[in-house]
């Protein structure tokens, strides 16, 4: 028997064991999804309490783990878990494909790399130990890139991975991405101008009334 045949056979046996385990428990798809949602919400709440330092010794261990893995991004982990919890809570409203999950993984890794690439390479290990930058994930990504490709090429690779992750996560195109970004830019600019000049008109009106 070849190595590939053994691998395929082991994979089939693993899938059969997994299916048999869920069948023996008698869990439906809705039940398994509900359990996943509970774990996501509990993880989000525990992570938030840990970051606020109000979860005792367990919270300190969770904060150390999140900081070591994700660095500065640890503060976003509870909110990401909440978002996934709501997504799986309403499967009819939000459909998540495997390619989107893979794209989200690429996006997270690229963000960790970008955060750590803002650090001086000479102290990148110390920064990861201090639970800053992109954490150990960012260090594991940027160290070989900077060593074998250089700074400029590393920035290009990580930035390209960032955009690829966005495109895969939201299943969109570059054209649609740029179109939405230009709309958001125009909206924020309009809000800023209305706030700025509207505030001045209000000050002028108040001054005029006093005079």
């Amino acid at each position: 028997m070849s190595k590939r045949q053994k691998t395929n056979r082991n994979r089939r046996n693993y899938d059969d064991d997994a299916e048999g385990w869920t069948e023996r428990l008698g869990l439906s798809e809705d039940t398994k999804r509900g359990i996943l949602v509970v774990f996501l919400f509990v993880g989000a709440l525990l992570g938030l309490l840990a970051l606020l330092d109000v979860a005792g010794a367990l919270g300190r261990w969770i904060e150390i783990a999140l900081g070591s893995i994700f660095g500065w991004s640890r503060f976003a982990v509870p909110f990401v878990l909440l978002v996934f919890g709501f997504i799986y809570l309403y499967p009819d409203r939000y459909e998540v494909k495997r390619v989107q999950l893979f794209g989200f993984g690429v996006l997270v890794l690229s963000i960790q790399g970008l955060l750590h690439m803002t650090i001086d390479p000479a102290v990148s290990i110390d920064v990861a130990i201090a639970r800053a930058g992109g954490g150990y994930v960012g260090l594991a990504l940027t160290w070989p890139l900077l060593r074998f490709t250089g700074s400029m090429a590393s920035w290009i690779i990580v930035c390209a991975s960032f955009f690829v992750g966005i495109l895969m996560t939201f299943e969109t195109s570059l054209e649609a991405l740029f179109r939405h970004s230009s709309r958001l830019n125009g909206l924020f600019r309009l809000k800023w101008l209305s706030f700025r000049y509207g505030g001045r008109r209000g000050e002028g009106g108040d001054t005029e009334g006093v005079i």
Side-chain angles (χ1 to χ4, degrees):
M1 183 180 295
S2 65
K3 184 176 181 180
R4 179 177 297 178
Q5 290 175 339
K6 290 181 179 179
T7 303
N8 293 334
R9 182 178 179 181
N10 292 334
R11 185 179 298 143
R12 286 195 299 269
N13 291 335
Y14 175 80
D15 294 338
D16 293 339
D17 291 339
E19 292 178 358
W21 180 78
T22 55
E23 289 177 357
R24 284 194 296 270
L25 289 178
L27 299 178
S28 64
E29 291 297 326
D30 292 337
T31 302
K32 289 185 285 186
R33 187 183 300 109
I35 294 173
L36 176 61
V37 170
V38 170
F39 276 113
L40 288 172
F41 283 146
V42 170
L45 293 176
L46 286 178
L48 183 60
L49 294 176
L51 293 174
L52 295 176
D53 196 16
V54 290
L58 176 62
R60 285 191 290 272
W61 282 105
I62 294 176
E63 195 277 334
I64 292 174
L66 291 178
S68 300
I69 297 172
F70 298 107
W72 292 328
S73 297
R74 64 182 179 273
F75 299 103
V77 172
F79 301 100
V80 172
L81 293 178
L82 280 177
V83 169
F84 273 101
F86 280 109
I87 288 175
Y88 284 106
L89 184 61
Y90 301 102
D92 297 334
R93 187 182 305 176
Y94 306 105
E95 181 182 1
V96 181
K97 302 178 182 178
R98 291 184 179 180
V99 65
Q100 291 177 297
L101 294 176
F102 179 78
F104 182 75
V106 173
L107 180 61
V108 170
L109 292 177
S110 62
I111 291 175
Q112 297 305 117
L114 288 172
L115 288 175
H116 217 72
M117 287 183 66
T118 61
I119 306 299
D120 185 0
V123 295
S124 61
I125 297 178
D126 296 331
V127 170
I129 294 175
R131 305 194 297 275
Y136 283 107
V137 174
L139 176 64
L141 290 173
T142 58
W143 186 84
L145 281 177
L146 292 172
R147 182 177 177 85
F148 296 107
T149 64
S151 178
M152 187 65 68
S154 297
W155 275 103
I156 293 175
I157 293 172
V158 176
C159 288
S161 301
F162 175 78
F163 283 106
V164 169
I166 291 179
L167 294 177
M168 295 180 66
T169 301
F170 298 100
E171 280 194 315
T172 185
S173 63
L174 281 175
E175 180 183 0
L177 181 63
F178 290 141
R179 185 170 61 250
H180 290 307
S181 62
S182 62
R183 288 179 180 176
L184 288 175
N185 185 28
L187 179 62
F188 285 133
R189 185 177 180 183
L190 180 62
K191 292 293 185 182
W192 166 250
L193 290 176
S194 62
F195 172 77
R196 182 178 180 183
Y197 293 104
R200 288 186 176 181
R201 284 197 298 268
E203 292 175 359
D206 294 340
T207 305
E208 184 179 353
V210 172
I211 294 173

